Amino acid sequence: MNSRIKGRTRLIGLLGDPVKHSLSPLMHNIAFKALDLDYVYMAFQVKEGFIKEGIEAMKTLNGAGFNLTMPHKQSVIGYLDEVSEEAALIGSVNTVKNVDGKLLGYNTDGKGFVKSLEEKEIEYKGKKTIILGAGGAARAIATQLAYDGAGEIVIFNRTFSSAVEIIDNINKNLPSCKGKALQLNEEELIREIKDASILINCTSVGMEPNSKSIISSNKAFHKDLFVADIIYQPTKTKLLKIAEEEGCNYMNGLMMLIWQGAIAFNIWTGEHMPIDLIRKEIFKS
Ligand code: ATR
């Protein structure tokens, strides 16, 4: 019998609730095995209010690091020794590295999105981006894009106040990017999209089993607009189908998901995740 797990194998964990449906254990363990790296990745259900205990457990077990998901991405910050500049601006951490008992926090969600744009050679520096939604994903993506040199970011959200909160933070801390918050409204959206380069759906509208689009009018699209949906199930949302019909270049959320994992993998191991293998093995794409 030959097991990959030995005496010196280091633990990396996902702390969150729920975690059962996470693809992260599959993604990281396939990559550890492919590169013959001595780590194992496990998902742990850590209930809301128990993140302190979760972190202490990882530290006690000398884990190499961990990921965080709902509901711990914000509350974890108070228990870390250092937080990267981007993660501090975003106000949430999804990746922690344990360096000899010192916990260093990062956010790879926004970076994962930016990396997937770069992979498609989409220019965002100095350009205008429209973001639909103002939840955790929108906040990470908007802030990271502003940090990385976006010219203008407009956030539309059903709940106006959460869009304002993200934009106020950008305008205060990253003034080289012009930020604007607007109440979700199709007419205004059509006006704003005219001179935009990128449109990103960060709402859950269109996610299985919902088959709606957050924008119903195809008048909103022009062929120089790059349309991104952070949803990856279904692989082509109604929004992306409309974008395709209108001749726009587009992408779904799959590569953002893979890249946020790949950047975390690199933080823990110093190695590059075999992206093509992960895409083939897990996502059959
Ligand atoms: P995530 O962590 O993935 O960003 P979230 O924080 O729950 O998820 O955010 C979901 C986003 O989808 C929010 O912007 C939400 O709008 P509200 O802030 O008004 O709740 C948006 N959303 C969800 N359902 C929506 C709907 N039917 N119409 C418009 N926006 C919707």
Side-chain angles (χ1 to χ4, degrees):
M1 278 260 266
N2 187 7
S3 169
R4 217 175 60 72
I5 299 171
K6 308 180 192 77
R8 60 177 172 271
T9 305
R10 303 273 313 266
L11 176 66
I12 296 182
L14 169 65
L15 313 183
D17 186 22
V19 289
K20 276 191 191 140
H21 304 291
S22 171
L23 291 171
S24 295
L26 201 57
M27 179 163 31
H28 289 291
N29 287 318
I30 288 174
F32 293 147
K33 188 169 177 208
L35 300 186
D36 200 19
L37 298 175
D38 231 342
Y39 300 90
V40 64
Y41 190 109
M42 291 274 301
F44 301 105
Q45 185 191 22
V46 176
K47 294 210 163 93
E48 185 153 24
F50 287 86
I51 192 57
K52 183 169 181 273
E53 289 82 352
I55 290 175
E56 269 165 16
M58 289 304 289
K59 243 171 129 166
T60 306
L61 299 175
N62 194 28
F66 47 93
N67 276 136
L68 298 137
T69 187
M70 260 179 34
H72 305 306
K73 286 187 185 186
Q74 286 91 32
S75 53
V76 71
I77 291 180
Y79 305 106
L80 303 178
D81 297 293
E82 275 173 39
V83 173
S84 76
E85 198 176 16
E86 292 103 310
L89 281 170
I90 295 167
S92 83
V93 161
N94 76 330
T95 302
V96 173
K97 180 175 177 142
N98 178 9
V99 182
D100 302 326
K102 233 178 141 185
L103 299 182
L104 316 180
Y106 305 85
N107 188 307
T108 72
D109 291 325
K111 274 183 194 263
F113 180 83
V114 171
K115 189 79 189 163
S116 62
L117 272 187
E118 288 172 351
E119 200 181 29
K120 288 220 156 225
E121 297 183 351
I122 305 300
E123 190 53 79
Y124 59 89
K125 289 188 183 170
K127 305 279 185 193
K128 176 175 177 181
T129 291
I130 302 216
I131 296 181
L132 309 176
R139 188 180 175 95
I141 290 171
T143 312
Q144 190 69 48
L145 280 171
Y147 187 88
D148 288 339
E152 184 177 354
I153 289 180
V154 180
I155 300 184
F156 282 89
N157 198 42
R158 179 177 63 180
T159 309
F160 181 56
S161 58
S162 23
V164 170
E165 205 192 304
I166 301 173
I167 289 298
D168 280 353
N169 184 47
I170 288 175
N171 285 340
K172 184 171 153 228
N173 296 300
L174 301 162
S176 61
C177 176
K178 199 175 131 200
K180 183 153 78 172
L182 290 164
Q183 175 78 47
L184 190 60
N185 159 322
E186 200 145 311
E187 264 173 47
E188 191 113 40
L189 184 58
I190 292 170
R191 265 199 300 279
E192 287 290 338
I193 278 181
K194 280 201 180 103
D195 61 343
S197 301
I198 302 170
L199 170 75
I200 312 166
N201 175 40
C202 294
T203 74
S204 46
V205 180
M207 194 187 293
E208 259 167 19
N210 174 313
S211 58
K212 295 201 175 103
S213 166
I214 186 83
I215 306 177
S216 53
S217 162
N218 42 7
K219 269 196 287 181
F221 300 81
H222 56 82
K223 67 167 185 25
D224 296 326
L225 184 71
F226 180 76
V227 182
D229 201 324
I230 65 161
I231 295 170
Y232 57 91
Q233 269 166 339
T235 50
K236 204 187 280 176
T237 57
K238 176 94 181 287
L239 176 78
L240 294 186
K241 283 182 189 160
I242 301 175
E244 188 176 46
E245 279 164 23
E246 295 306 310
C248 301
N249 191 1
Y250 63 88
M251 70 173 178
N252 67 18
L254 194 60
M255 287 318 294
M256 174 187 172
L257 175 74
I258 298 179
W259 276 115
Q260 66 72 30
I263 298 166
F265 185 88
N266 181 255
I267 288 171
W268 296 318
T269 67
E271 303 286 338
H272 295 293
M273 181 179 265
I275 297 287
D276 291 338
L277 175 75
I278 299 296
R279 203 182 326 210
K280 209 163 64 209
E281 292 267 318
I282 309 180
F283 303 102
K284 318 282 177 226
S285 68

